Amino acid sequence: MNSRKQALDKATTLIEALPWLSRFHGRTVVVKYGGNAMTDPALRERFAENIVFLRYAGLRPVVVHGGGPQIDAHLDRLGMTSTFAGGLRVTTPETMDVVRMVLVGRVNRDIVGLINAHGPFAVGISGEDAHLFTAERTSAWVDGAPVDLGQVGEVADVRPGVVRTLLDDGRIPVVSSVARSDEGVFNVNADTAAAALAVSLDAGKLVVLTDVEGLYADYPACEELISRLTAGELEAMLPELSTGMVPKMEACLHAVRGGVPQAHVLDGRTPHSMLLEIFTNEGIGTMVVAEAEEPTDPVDIVEGEGE
């Protein structure tokens, strides 16, 4: 009897996913991959499975990744010191060589390999490839004064043609967060790179994986999780957010202001968090929507938009 109930529960879950499968079928979903989900072996496996599930479910997933812990570890092995200003890594030409090598040559290949254990899907590319990302130099402000960060930039232009071509071929693009510039190769924040790419691809959703359950209204007490808020509400909250959450929530804000219907911050430590958010009625984490909020009933959206 217990096995029969388990089977019925599974069937109920599948039926609950039906309207969401219909809504997002054929839509692009950009996933920023980072945090413990990127370093814990079991979570890495689950992440790859989830991405492939999205592909088989008819969505078009794109992965954008950084690799701060891996970069730190490699710099330590080389005896190189890395400093930070305003929460951003000061990137000298020597440091940039390591950043580029780790992100493009190691982390990207690892993610591609994990996904391709399930089929010939993932193709690794760099933000430099085909001028996907072009960056402009940025500075950090510390104690009211600008600090030179070296080869650190903001994404100023996105040419998503190479990503669209891979998606149209049924592939899963895996993008490392480095960018070209007139001054050489720049390190760019993976959160903001993912948001810029989501906007340029007219994505249906941006998902940012991190190491917290979402945005809390009462940080650092972390007792009241905000499940949903508008772009205007988020913008008003930004000055009060913790340093670590600012780039993630700014990425969500940029995405929805740029036309992406929904942006989510999810706890990557929760197995299958992406699937729970996309394919269940309750969802998890924090979702950001634009001011002109679309209907929440997926059936209404399907009928109204013809998706």
Side-chain angles (χ1 to χ4, degrees):
M1 191 69 178
N2 186 46
S3 62
R4 179 181 174 84
K5 184 180 184 305
Q6 289 177 340
L8 288 172
D9 288 343
K10 289 180 181 179
T12 300
T13 301
L14 290 172
I15 292 299
E16 181 181 327
L18 180 60
W20 305 104
L21 284 166
S22 176
R23 175 184 178 186
F24 289 110
H25 186 84
R27 297 299 301 272
T28 298
V29 176
V30 177
V31 180
K32 187 271 177 170
Y33 182 36
N36 280 325
M38 201 177 201
T39 56
D40 180 278
L43 291 175
R44 282 159 48 87
E45 293 285 349
R46 297 294 83 75
F47 172 80
E49 291 172 353
N50 282 200
I51 290 293
V52 174
F53 184 95
L54 294 180
R55 163 65 173 72
Y56 275 125
L59 286 75
R60 290 154 50 105
V62 179
V63 178
V64 179
H65 70 87
Q70 294 90 336
I71 293 168
D72 289 339
H74 203 85
L75 289 170
D76 287 342
R77 283 196 294 270
L78 295 174
M80 298 175 64
T81 302
S82 185
T83 59
F84 290 80
L88 297 173
R89 187 188 304 274
V90 177
T91 307
T92 65
E94 294 77 18
T95 303
M96 188 64 226
D97 286 342
V98 176
V99 169
R100 190 185 196 188
M101 176 179 66
V102 172
L103 291 183
V104 180
R106 179 185 171 188
V107 177
N108 189 276
R109 303 316 308 168
D110 286 348
I111 299 169
V112 168
L114 286 166
I115 294 173
N116 284 346
H118 303 280
F121 301 122
V123 177
I125 61 175
S126 159
E128 301 172 68
D129 293 338
H131 292 188
L132 176 56
F133 295 139
T134 298
E136 293 180 351
R137 184 182 295 271
T138 189
S139 298
W141 286 82
V142 179
D143 297 328
V147 176
D148 182 16
L149 296 172
Q151 290 178 236
V152 175
E154 294 283 349
V155 176
D157 184 56
V158 182
R159 298 185 184 182
V162 63
V163 176
R164 290 188 188 277
T165 297
L166 291 171
L167 289 171
D168 290 344
D169 193 41
R171 309 302 174 183
I172 299 173
V174 179
V175 184
S176 56
S177 57
V178 295
R180 68 171 292 276
S181 78
D182 294 337
E183 305 174 68
V185 182
F186 274 20
N187 188 13
V188 295
N189 181 279
D191 297 314
T192 55
L197 184 57
V199 170
S200 69
L201 290 171
D202 298 318
K205 190 183 289 283
L206 169 68
V207 176
V208 179
L209 295 180
T210 185
D211 287 341
V212 295
E213 294 179 1
L215 183 64
Y216 289 93
D218 55 350
Y219 184 88
C222 295
E223 295 178 353
E224 185 183 345
L225 180 68
I226 301 173
S227 61
R228 186 186 189 94
L229 74 167
T230 67
E233 291 168 339
L234 173 57
E235 190 168 30
M237 292 179 65
L238 280 176
E240 308 300 325
L241 298 184
S242 63
T243 303
M245 287 300 289
V246 168
K248 294 167 178 43
M249 300 315 301
E250 284 184 336
C252 291
L253 181 63
H254 175 75
V256 298
R257 286 270 167 87
V260 178
Q262 301 172 350
H264 304 258
V265 174
L266 305 180
D267 190 346
R269 301 168 301 178
T270 302
H272 310 304
S273 58
M274 283 188 293
L275 304 188
L276 291 170
E277 178 53 55
I278 294 173
F279 296 125
T280 65
N281 293 334
E282 291 80 12
I284 59 173
T286 296
M287 177 169 68
V288 182
V289 298
E291 310 324 305
E293 189 174 326
E294 58 186 27
T296 56
D297 186 340
V299 176
D300 290 344
I301 296 171
V302 171
E303 293 176 349
E305 296 183 3
E307 292 180 356

